[in-house]
Amino acid sequence: MSQDKIHGNLKGLGKQKKDEISRLLRRRLPPGEITTQEFSRELCGLSSSVGRQIGVLVNRRGQVERVMVGDAGSIMLPDLGRSRGDASRFRGLRYLHTHLAQEPLNDDDLTDLILLRFDLVLAVAVDEEGFPGPSFLAHLLPENPEGKTVETYPPFAPGRLDIDFLDLMRSLEEEFARSRPPLKGKGKEGVILTGIVLAGEKDASAENGIDGLAELRELARSAGVDVLAEMAQRRQKIHPRTVIGPGKIRELVMKAMQLGAVTLIFDRELTPAQVNSLQKITELKVIDRSQLILDIFAQRAKTREGKIQVELAQLRYNLPRLVGRGVDMSRLMGGIGGRGPGETKLEIDRRRVRERIGRLEKDLENMRRTRVQKRERRVSRGVPVVSIVGYTNAGKSTLLNQLTDGAVDVEDKLFATLDPTSRRLRFPREREIIVTDTVGFIHELPRDLYEAFRATLEELEDADLFIHVVDASDPSWEGQVKAVERILEDLELIGVPRVLAFNKVDKIEPFERNLRLSLRPGSVAVSALDRKTLRPLLEAVEKALFEDNDRQAEAWASLGF
């Protein structure tokens, strides 16, 4: 008896019945037929004699690959491993099983069809004499205007199913491929964004003034992936194992198959157990907001220090997420009092990660000391330091380039600039300041990233003044201001004087600009793309830094502002 291919409830069955069930594995169906009357009769007869549902998984060559025995009302399917190819393809298996109560396909059947991406599901009703009764058939559908995900057929009598199975699957796969939207770039992967809002919990836009799903969309765009769909669910509480409910999981899997998506991105941080559960159930890559931000930083890091900081953050994030799969990861006892040769590959991987973290922390500490020495020399010269801070993609690097004639790379993406840059800016009457551009902030900055970039953020400690750049055209600007102020408070820098600069005012109407300025007294309006709009900002900086300032418009005009 092929125990590895027969699963389920065999308890209480005699040897003869087990042998009859085992013989199902030797049956072979004609490739073009979903089932035959003879096979359905054998399946129903066995099911009736043991009083339990019996199911088989048949491949496209017509071979029975697995046999499952359930109870009178249901069948528990075994772990089938990952499907062939990627998760946007059919599994290449049809699921045929019996229903003792002659009921149609139920929710469990349709859930199995979707989550396991079966070619189709067929339920054969068993009549009172153990013969095949009405049969019920369903298969998946490509995206369509009606929004249907499953095609269910009316019940049909045994031997009355006139469908060529291989032609059906060929046409379905062609329709799925044809209906999928093309990806916007070569080598890009399609993703689905998933948001969760708890009932009774204010959503992100209400609490922080920040639209969490909209920001996740921008993060995904910055990471270079193609967002194919966005789905959100309101729940009473987070599901401890899968975050979202089973219905939403089924919806996500179906949408991923219809659109050809390979990744789910969640708008909140997930535990390692939740990621593993979701990946196992959906067979899709699952990442959370923190990992997405880490991936963006890894793409942006250019200097040695930046690369070390990002690698350190990634290792700290991934360490608790290292999990073993399969027998090769089980512990092998290595003798009395120690593991010896029994140390598992998983434990070796964790040990190596910890050792690497230790080396990177030492490298960062050496760089931090060097950076401190440079700052001390700078401070000893008595040159004021102005740091540009703000939410990511607010226009900080563009502003630095305009102020100092710099050439820092700029891009309309989140975290386009990662490594800090310092430039000198000459004021009228032979005055100089140093302007420093820093990494952009974001609400709920991942803790691992926060810790790894502490050495870089220490640059802010020597600032005499902050220019807090705000994207005036962003509807979430108030929430972004609060997020930046929260991070400065965490860094114990909230007491440093600040000039609030509303950037990108060329993108909003004058009354909106005036409204923002009135809400933040002492703020200025600029467009970092237009040098001539920067004079009010420079005058505010000069006034804050130099007490004897007598703002001379002619002097600023002579410098091109």
Side-chain angles (χ1 to χ4, degrees):
M1 186 171 174
S2 303
Q3 293 292 345
D4 59 331
K5 293 187 176 182
I6 299 180
H7 312 269
N9 180 21
L10 300 174
K11 187 176 180 180
L13 297 182
K15 182 179 183 304
Q16 181 181 351
K17 289 300 178 188
K18 290 180 179 178
D19 289 343
E20 290 177 10
I21 292 171
S22 181
R23 279 197 291 270
L24 290 172
L25 290 167
R26 296 201 290 269
R27 301 291 183 261
R28 183 162 185 153
L29 300 174
E33 296 187 38
I34 294 174
T35 186
T36 64
Q37 197 163 354
E38 178 188 0
F39 186 76
S40 295
R41 188 181 301 120
E42 183 178 4
L43 204 61
C44 289
L46 269 174
S47 185
S48 176
S49 65
V50 299
R52 304 172 190 182
Q53 288 190 10
I54 295 180
V56 294
L57 298 178
V58 185
N59 63 30
R60 293 193 182 177
R61 296 187 301 276
Q63 297 170 322
V64 176
E65 288 196 359
R66 306 280 185 105
V67 178
M68 296 81 63
V69 181
D71 54 31
S74 63
I75 294 178
M76 180 68 70
L77 293 176
D79 182 2
L80 301 178
R82 295 192 66 83
S83 62
R84 65 192 183 115
D86 60 59
S88 64
R89 296 179 62 187
F90 286 94
R91 188 173 287 272
L93 294 173
R94 70 198 99 156
Y95 174 32
L96 317 178
H97 65 294
T98 60
H99 276 183
L100 292 173
Q102 302 191 37
E103 72 275 21
L105 293 170
N106 55 36
D107 194 58
D108 287 343
D109 294 327
L110 298 181
T111 296
D112 292 335
L113 172 66
I114 293 173
L115 293 186
L116 296 172
R117 287 173 283 270
F118 286 135
D119 290 350
L120 54 80
V121 168
L122 177 73
V124 184
V126 181
D127 68 16
E128 296 172 354
E129 298 179 358
F131 289 102
S135 294
F136 306 89
L137 175 68
H139 61 70
L140 302 178
L141 285 174
E143 194 166 37
N144 55 83
E146 293 78 23
K148 287 181 64 177
T149 57
V150 175
E151 181 71 63
T152 55
Y153 290 68
F156 53 89
R160 296 294 180 90
L161 182 61
D162 187 20
I163 294 177
D164 187 304
F165 171 67
L166 294 181
D167 280 349
L168 172 66
M169 294 314 303
R170 191 179 302 113
S171 64
L172 279 176
E173 289 183 329
E174 288 174 356
E175 287 180 40
F176 267 92
R178 191 164 47 246
S179 65
R180 287 170 184 154
L183 297 180
K184 296 176 182 176
K186 187 177 180 181
K188 280 193 173 185
E189 64 180 59
V191 305
I192 296 177
L193 307 183
T194 308
I196 305 100
V197 177
L198 297 181
E201 173 190 78
K202 295 179 180 178
D203 62 20
S205 59
E207 184 178 15
N208 303 315
I210 295 172
D211 186 337
L213 208 54
E215 185 171 89
L216 192 67
R217 187 190 315 125
E218 285 302 303
L219 286 168
R221 185 177 70 87
S222 299
V225 297
D226 201 346
V227 177
L228 301 179
E230 300 174 12
M231 304 181 79
Q233 182 179 41
R234 183 175 291 274
R235 293 182 56 82
Q236 291 295 327
K237 60 180 180 179
I238 294 294
H239 192 289
R241 189 167 72 93
T242 58
V243 186
I244 53 180
K248 184 59 67 174
I249 290 178
R250 195 169 82 174
E251 189 179 344
L252 282 171
V253 170
M254 191 64 233
K255 183 62 71 174
M257 187 170 180
Q258 289 178 330
L259 300 178
V262 297
T263 304
L264 302 178
I265 302 179
F266 283 77
D267 70 342
R268 61 179 61 210
E269 188 163 334
L270 307 179
T271 67
Q274 288 168 342
V275 171
N276 291 332
S277 294
L278 284 165
Q279 289 185 156
K280 185 175 181 180
I281 293 170
T282 65
E283 294 190 7
L284 296 164
K285 188 195 306 181
V286 175
I287 67 175
D288 60 15
R289 181 176 178 274
S290 296
Q291 186 176 349
L292 180 62
I293 293 174
L294 287 171
D295 288 346
I296 295 172
F297 271 61
Q299 294 176 27
R300 299 286 189 267
K302 296 178 181 178
T303 64
R304 181 169 179 266
E305 183 177 9
K307 290 177 180 178
I308 288 176
Q309 289 175 129
V310 172
E311 183 183 356
L312 181 59
Q314 288 180 317
L315 289 174
R316 284 174 173 164
Y317 176 85
N318 289 323
L319 180 59
R321 289 164 173 80
L322 283 176
V323 292
R325 293 178 181 271
V327 177
D328 59 308
M329 289 295 188
S330 62
R331 175 168 297 178
L332 305 174
M333 297 309 294
I336 298 174
R339 296 194 179 99
E343 187 175 27
T344 67
K345 183 180 183 302
L346 176 60
E347 290 163 334
I348 292 172
D349 289 342
R350 284 175 173 162
R351 176 165 51 81
R352 287 175 177 166
V353 168
R354 292 189 187 99
E355 290 172 353
R356 179 65 175 164
I357 288 174
R359 288 196 298 272
L360 292 176
E361 287 176 337
K362 287 181 181 178
D363 290 343
L364 271 186
E365 180 59 26
N366 292 334
M367 291 179 178
R368 191 191 70 81
R369 285 197 290 266
T370 301
R371 191 183 288 275
V372 168
Q373 292 172 358
K374 289 181 179 179
R375 290 205 306 267
E376 288 175 348
R377 288 197 298 270
R378 197 164 61 203
V379 171
S380 67
R381 297 192 185 107
V383 180
V385 176
V386 175
S387 288
I388 302 177
V389 299
Y391 212 77
T392 178
N393 205 31
K396 301 182 301 300
S397 298
T398 304
L399 179 62
L400 177 71
N401 285 340
Q402 284 286 15
L403 290 174
T404 64
D405 294 321
V408 177
D409 291 337
V410 295
E411 200 173 353
D412 185 20
K413 291 182 178 179
L414 305 188
F415 302 114
T417 305
L418 186 59
D419 302 302
T421 305
S422 296
R423 296 286 186 271
R424 287 182 177 269
L425 171 62
R426 183 173 295 276
F427 276 58
R429 297 191 300 173
E430 301 303 317
R431 288 170 170 167
E432 273 190 344
I433 65 171
I434 293 175
V435 183
T436 301
D437 180 23
T438 58
V439 62
F441 296 161
I442 196 168
H443 85 283
E444 296 178 8
L445 188 70
R447 177 53 54 182
D448 294 315
L449 202 57
Y450 193 98
E451 292 298 327
F453 274 76
R454 183 168 288 278
T456 299
L457 294 173
E458 284 177 357
E459 284 283 323
L460 300 175
E461 294 179 2
D462 294 321
D464 299 287
L465 179 72
F466 290 148
I467 297 177
H468 182 173
V469 180
V470 182
D471 182 355
S473 66
D474 195 311
S476 304
W477 70 267
E478 290 181 285
Q480 294 177 0
V481 169
K482 292 176 183 177
V484 172
E485 290 176 344
R486 207 174 297 126
I487 292 174
L488 291 176
E489 187 174 359
D490 290 343
L491 293 170
E492 299 181 354
L493 297 172
I494 198 67
V496 177
R498 291 191 298 279
V499 173
L500 191 71
F502 283 106
N503 188 26
K504 306 183 185 182
V505 292
D506 52 306
K507 293 185 176 182
I508 60 176
E509 296 296 328
F511 80 90
E512 291 180 314
R513 178 197 62 201
N514 295 333
L515 176 62
R516 284 154 177 64
L517 292 173
S518 66
L519 291 172
R520 293 281 175 163
S523 59
V524 295
V526 302
S527 171
L529 296 176
D530 185 358
R531 191 179 180 90
K532 295 189 184 318
T533 67
L534 303 184
R535 187 190 299 173
L537 171 62
L538 289 168
E539 290 175 346
V541 170
E542 188 178 25
K543 181 178 180 181
L545 292 175
F546 306 107
E547 293 181 359
D548 62 339
N549 167 58
D550 59 352
R551 294 169 292 172
Q552 298 175 357
E554 296 81 5
W556 285 116
S558 67
L559 294 176
F561 295 101

